[in-house]
Coordinates of all heavy atoms in Angstrom, one line a residue:
L102 N 55.6 36.3 -134.5 CA 56.7 36.2 -133.6 C 56.3 37.3 -132.5 O 56.0 38.6 -132.9 CB 58.0 36.6 -134.1 CG 58.5 35.8 -135.3 CD1 59.8 36.2 -135.9 CD2 58.6 34.3 -134.9
I103 N 56.3 37.1 -131.3 CA 56.0 37.8 -130.2 C 57.3 37.9 -129.4 O 57.8 37.0 -128.7 CB 54.8 37.4 -129.2 CG1 53.7 37.2 -130.1 CG2 54.6 38.3 -128.1 CD1 53.5 35.8 -130.6
G104 N 57.9 39.2 -129.1 CA 59.1 39.3 -128.3 C 58.9 40.2 -127.1 O 58.0 41.3 -127.1
V105 N 59.5 40.0 -126.2 CA 59.6 40.7 -124.9 C 60.9 41.1 -124.3 O 61.8 40.1 -124.7 CB 58.7 40.3 -123.7 CG1 57.2 40.1 -124.3 CG2 59.1 39.0 -123.2
V106 N 61.3 42.1 -123.5 CA 62.4 42.2 -122.8 C 61.9 42.2 -121.2 O 60.9 42.9 -120.9 CB 63.2 43.5 -123.0 CG1 64.2 43.7 -122.0 CG2 63.8 43.5 -124.4
T107 N 62.5 41.4 -120.5 CA 62.1 41.3 -119.0 C 63.4 41.6 -118.3 O 64.6 41.5 -118.6 CB 61.6 39.9 -118.6 OG1 62.6 39.2 -118.4 CG2 60.6 39.5 -119.6
D108 N 63.1 42.0 -116.9 CA 64.3 42.2 -116.1 C 64.5 40.8 -115.4 O 63.9 39.8 -115.8 CB 64.0 43.4 -115.0 CG 62.7 43.1 -114.2 OD1 62.3 42.0 -114.1 OD2 62.1 44.0 -113.7
L109 N 65.3 40.9 -114.3 CA 65.6 39.6 -113.6 C 64.5 39.0 -112.8 O 64.5 37.7 -112.7 CB 66.9 39.8 -112.8 CG 67.5 38.8 -112.1 CD1 68.0 37.7 -113.2 CD2 68.8 39.3 -111.4
R110 N 63.5 39.7 -112.6 CA 62.2 39.3 -112.0 C 61.1 38.9 -113.0 O 60.1 38.7 -112.6 CB 61.7 40.1 -110.9 CG 62.8 40.3 -109.8 CD 62.2 40.9 -108.6 NE 61.2 40.0 -107.9 CZ 59.9 40.2 -107.9 NH1 59.3 41.2 -108.5 NH2 59.1 39.3 -107.3
A111 N 61.5 38.6 -114.3 CA 60.6 38.4 -115.3 C 59.5 39.4 -115.4 O 58.4 39.2 -115.9 CB 60.0 36.9 -115.2
Q112 N 59.7 40.7 -115.0 CA 58.7 41.7 -115.3 C 59.0 42.3 -116.7 O 60.1 42.7 -117.1 CB 58.9 42.9 -114.3 CG 58.6 42.4 -112.8 CD 59.0 43.3 -111.8 OE1 58.2 43.9 -111.1 NE2 60.3 43.8 -111.7
V113 N 57.9 42.3 -117.5 CA 58.1 42.8 -119.0 C 58.3 44.3 -119.0 O 57.5 45.1 -118.5 CB 56.8 42.4 -119.7 CG1 56.9 42.9 -121.1 CG2 56.6 41.0 -119.7
R114 N 59.2 44.7 -119.6 CA 59.8 46.1 -119.8 C 59.5 46.6 -121.2 O 59.2 47.8 -121.4 CB 61.3 46.3 -119.6 CG 61.6 45.8 -118.1 CD 61.1 46.7 -117.0 NE 61.6 46.5 -115.7 CZ 62.6 47.1 -115.1 NH1 63.3 48.1 -115.9 NH2 63.1 46.9 -114.0
A115 N 59.5 45.8 -122.2 CA 59.1 46.2 -123.5 C 58.5 44.9 -124.3 O 58.8 43.7 -123.9 CB 60.3 46.7 -124.3
A116 N 57.6 45.2 -125.2 CA 57.1 44.1 -126.1 C 56.9 44.5 -127.5 O 56.6 45.7 -127.8 CB 55.7 43.7 -125.4
H117 N 56.9 43.6 -128.4 CA 56.8 43.9 -129.9 C 56.4 42.6 -130.5 O 56.8 41.5 -130.2 CB 58.0 44.4 -130.4 CG 57.8 45.0 -131.8 ND1 56.9 46.2 -132.1 CD2 58.3 44.7 -133.1 CE1 57.0 46.6 -133.4 NE2 57.8 45.6 -134.0
R118 N 55.5 42.7 -131.6 CA 55.1 41.6 -132.3 C 55.4 41.9 -134.0 O 55.4 43.1 -134.3 CB 53.6 41.4 -132.2 CG 53.1 41.0 -130.9 CD 51.6 40.7 -131.1 NE 51.0 40.3 -129.7 CZ 50.0 39.6 -129.7 NH1 49.3 39.2 -130.6 NH2 49.6 39.2 -128.3
V119 N 55.7 40.8 -134.7 CA 55.8 41.0 -136.2 C 55.2 39.7 -136.7 O 55.2 38.6 -136.1 CB 57.4 41.1 -136.5 CG1 57.9 42.3 -136.1 CG2 58.1 39.8 -136.1
P120 N 54.7 39.9 -137.9 CA 54.0 38.8 -138.4 C 55.1 37.7 -139.1 O 56.1 38.2 -139.4 CB 53.1 39.4 -139.6 CG 53.8 40.7 -139.9 CD 54.4 41.1 -138.7
V121 N 54.5 36.4 -139.2 CA 55.3 35.4 -139.9 C 54.7 35.3 -141.2 O 53.6 34.8 -141.5 CB 55.4 34.0 -139.1 CG1 55.9 33.0 -139.9 CG2 56.1 34.3 -137.8
T122 N 55.6 35.7 -142.3 CA 54.9 35.5 -143.6 C 55.4 34.3 -144.4 O 54.8 33.9 -145.4 CB 55.2 36.9 -144.5 OG1 56.7 37.0 -144.5 CG2 54.5 38.1 -143.8
D123 N 56.5 33.8 -143.8 CA 57.0 32.6 -144.4 C 57.6 31.7 -143.4 O 58.4 32.3 -142.5 CB 58.3 33.0 -145.4 CG 58.8 31.8 -146.2 OD1 58.8 30.7 -145.6 OD2 59.2 32.0 -147.3
R124 N 57.2 30.5 -143.2 CA 57.5 29.6 -142.0 C 58.8 28.9 -142.4 O 59.3 27.9 -141.5 CB 56.4 28.6 -141.9 CG 55.1 29.2 -141.3 CD 54.0 28.3 -141.3 NE 52.8 29.0 -140.9 CZ 51.4 28.5 -140.9 NH1 51.4 27.1 -141.2 NH2 50.4 29.1 -140.9
G125 N 59.5 29.2 -143.4 CA 60.8 28.6 -143.6 C 61.8 28.8 -142.6 O 61.8 30.0 -141.8
V126 N 62.7 28.0 -142.2 CA 63.6 28.2 -141.1 C 64.5 29.5 -141.2 O 64.5 30.2 -140.3 CB 64.6 26.9 -141.0 CG1 65.7 27.2 -139.8 CG2 63.7 25.8 -140.6
D127 N 65.0 29.6 -142.3 CA 65.9 30.8 -142.5 C 65.1 32.2 -142.4 O 65.6 33.2 -141.7 CB 66.5 30.8 -144.0 CG 67.6 29.7 -144.2 OD1 68.0 29.1 -143.1 OD2 67.9 29.4 -145.2
Q128 N 63.9 32.2 -142.9 CA 63.1 33.4 -142.8 C 62.7 33.6 -141.4 O 62.6 34.8 -140.9 CB 61.9 33.3 -143.6 CG 62.1 33.3 -145.2 CD 62.7 31.9 -145.7 OE1 62.7 31.0 -145.1 NE2 63.3 32.1 -146.9
V129 N 62.3 32.6 -140.6 CA 61.9 32.8 -139.2 C 63.1 33.3 -138.3 O 62.9 34.2 -137.5 CB 61.3 31.4 -138.5 CG1 61.0 31.7 -137.1 CG2 60.0 31.3 -139.3
V130 N 64.3 32.7 -138.6 CA 65.4 33.0 -137.9 C 65.8 34.4 -138.2 O 66.0 35.2 -137.2 CB 66.6 32.2 -138.2 CG1 68.0 32.7 -137.8 CG2 66.4 30.7 -137.7
A131 N 65.7 34.8 -139.4 CA 65.9 36.4 -139.8 C 64.9 37.2 -139.1 O 65.2 38.2 -138.6 CB 65.8 36.6 -141.3
G132 N 63.7 36.8 -139.0 CA 62.6 37.5 -138.3 C 62.8 37.6 -136.8 O 62.6 38.6 -136.3
I133 N 63.3 36.5 -136.1 CA 63.7 36.5 -134.8 C 64.7 37.5 -134.5 O 64.7 38.4 -133.6 CB 64.0 35.1 -134.3 CG1 62.8 34.1 -134.2 CG2 64.7 35.3 -132.8 CD1 63.2 32.7 -134.1
A134 N 65.8 37.6 -135.2 CA 67.0 38.4 -135.3 C 66.4 39.9 -135.3 O 66.9 40.8 -134.5 CB 68.0 38.1 -136.2
A135 N 65.5 40.1 -136.3 CA 65.1 41.5 -136.4 C 64.3 42.0 -135.2 O 64.4 43.1 -134.7 CB 64.3 41.7 -137.7
L136 N 63.4 41.0 -134.9 CA 62.5 41.3 -133.6 C 63.4 41.5 -132.4 O 63.1 42.5 -131.6 CB 61.6 40.1 -133.4 CG 60.7 40.2 -132.1 CD1 59.8 41.4 -132.1 CD2 59.8 39.0 -132.0
V137 N 64.4 40.8 -132.1 CA 65.3 41.0 -131.0 C 65.9 42.3 -131.1 O 66.0 43.1 -129.9 CB 66.3 40.0 -131.0 CG1 67.5 40.2 -130.0 CG2 65.7 38.5 -130.5
R138 N 66.5 42.8 -132.2 CA 67.0 44.2 -132.4 C 66.0 45.2 -132.0 O 66.3 46.2 -131.3 CB 67.6 44.4 -133.8 CG 68.9 43.5 -134.0 CD 69.4 44.0 -135.3 NE 68.6 43.8 -136.4 CZ 68.7 42.7 -137.2 NH1 69.5 41.6 -136.8 NH2 67.9 42.5 -138.2
E139 N 64.7 45.0 -132.4 CA 63.8 46.1 -132.3 C 63.2 46.1 -130.8 O 63.2 47.2 -130.3 CB 62.5 45.5 -133.2 CG 61.2 46.5 -133.0 CD 61.4 48.0 -133.5 OE1 62.2 48.2 -134.5 OE2 60.7 48.9 -133.1
V140 N 62.9 45.0 -130.2 CA 62.4 45.0 -128.9 C 63.5 45.4 -127.8 O 63.2 45.8 -126.7 CB 61.8 43.6 -128.5 CG1 62.8 42.6 -128.3 CG2 60.8 43.8 -127.4
S141 N 64.8 45.1 -128.0 CA 65.8 45.3 -127.0 C 66.6 46.6 -127.3 O 67.6 46.9 -126.7 CB 66.7 44.1 -127.0 OG 67.3 44.1 -128.3
A142 N 66.2 47.3 -128.3 CA 66.9 48.6 -128.7 C 67.3 49.6 -127.5 O 68.3 49.9 -127.3 CB 66.1 49.4 -129.8

Side-chain angles (χ1 to χ4, degrees):
L102 302 175
I103 303 94
V105 300
V106 172
T107 78
D108 60 25
L109 193 47
R110 298 195 67 250
Q112 299 171 115
V113 175
R114 299 295 188 90
H117 190 63
R118 296 186 179 203
V119 296
V121 171
T122 57
D123 188 323
R124 296 174 189 171
V126 173
D127 291 343
Q128 290 74 18
V129 171
V130 168
I133 291 173
L136 175 60
V137 168
R138 289 192 296 270
E139 173 72 24
V140 76
S141 63

